[in-house]
Amino acid sequence: MGCNASTLAKIHNVDELILETGFSSSHICHLYNRFHSLDKDDKGLLNRGDFQNISELAVNPLGDRIINNFFPDRVDLIDFNSFARTLARFRPVENSPKKEPDSPEPINSRANKLKFAFQLYDQDKDGKISKSELLQVLRMMVGVQVTEEQLESITDRTIQEADLDGDDAISFEEFKKSLDKVDIEHKMSIRFLR
């Protein structure tokens, strides 16, 4: 399947999608083809099961949480445009001119990448990462390589260092501040086909 005008014509509001996501028309075509390779039922929609068939997500300890970010607000199915918008968060940040003051934050901005990462931890969506939520993610990431006591110590230290208001949890603002010196733009970027 190549990328051509007929492929682009199949995509609802393709020009708006290109502007919103920052993807080129070629990227959109490649993503559209990938979307359709995942859409085994050929209904133009994906469900969680379609994502679970992606081997890289199947072996990722945070795979289910990453998949959940494609399905906000208890949505069971997503269309191509939602798929592309979610993937746009991982588009590398380019050295482009400053955005206009009234324009929305680009999907792939540092702030939006951090929001995505924060949501991987904040499973109850209360705007804070609790000790139990952080501990749960650490358990998934390290498995049995670290003792429970060590995990709890790491969790306590992390919360102690990041928690600036003393509520024993990490708010989004505290999360952002704790990652000030981390190159999120690079770490949360996927090089899409050029």
Side-chain angles (χ1 to χ4, degrees):
M1 256 188 209
C3 181
N4 54 41
S6 66
T7 302
L8 289 173
K10 296 175 189 174
I11 301 169
H12 180 69
N13 295 331
V14 70
D15 292 330
E16 289 176 26
L17 188 62
I18 288 170
L19 276 174
E20 184 182 352
T21 63
F23 286 129
S24 68
S25 57
S26 175
H27 287 131
I28 292 289
C29 282
H30 289 293
L31 290 174
Y32 187 78
N33 291 337
R34 179 64 172 143
F35 179 88
H36 279 282
S37 73
L38 294 170
D39 180 16
K40 303 293 186 217
D41 299 332
D42 203 27
K43 293 182 179 178
L45 298 168
L46 297 179
N47 62 41
R48 282 177 172 76
D50 295 321
F51 283 89
Q52 290 164 340
N53 291 327
I54 300 171
S55 60
E56 294 84 357
L57 286 175
V59 298
N60 186 321
L62 296 177
D64 285 339
R65 290 179 183 222
I66 292 168
I67 292 168
N68 287 341
N69 271 285
F70 280 86
F71 299 90
D73 305 322
R74 294 184 167 82
V75 170
D76 292 328
L77 299 168
I78 61 163
D79 62 8
F80 172 72
N81 290 39
S82 296
F83 175 77
R85 281 186 198 99
T86 300
L87 287 175
R89 293 179 187 156
F90 298 100
R91 195 173 56 77
V93 176
E94 284 132 19
N95 296 329
S96 51
K98 286 279 189 199
K99 69 177 187 84
E100 296 296 317
D102 295 337
S103 66
E105 189 80 35
I107 288 177
N108 67 327
S109 69
R110 177 180 178 81
N112 282 328
K113 288 178 187 289
L114 286 169
K115 283 179 194 165
F116 185 90
F118 185 81
Q119 292 168 348
L120 295 178
Y121 292 90
D122 182 22
Q123 290 297 285
D124 63 7
K125 299 183 185 336
D126 67 350
K128 293 186 175 280
I129 300 169
S130 67
K131 179 181 177 180
S132 65
E133 288 171 324
L134 181 57
L135 191 55
Q136 192 177 30
V137 170
L138 289 175
R139 277 188 196 117
M140 284 185 235
M141 297 296 290
V142 299
V144 294
Q145 300 169 9
V146 178
T147 68
E148 187 66 22
E149 188 177 288
Q150 290 170 318
L151 282 175
E152 287 184 18
S153 175
I154 292 167
T155 302
D156 288 340
R157 246 184 328 199
T158 303
I159 295 223
Q160 186 178 39
E161 289 174 14
D163 177 24
L164 301 175
D165 62 8
D167 65 351
D168 287 329
I170 302 170
S171 68
F172 178 65
E173 289 304 315
E174 293 166 337
F175 183 77
K176 274 189 348 186
K177 184 144 182 68
S178 70
L179 294 171
D180 264 349
K181 293 180 173 73
V182 176
D183 185 6
I184 291 297
E185 292 85 346
H186 177 73
K187 290 187 182 294
M188 287 188 66
S189 291
I190 299 171
R191 297 281 170 214
F192 291 92
L193 298 174
R194 292 180 189 171

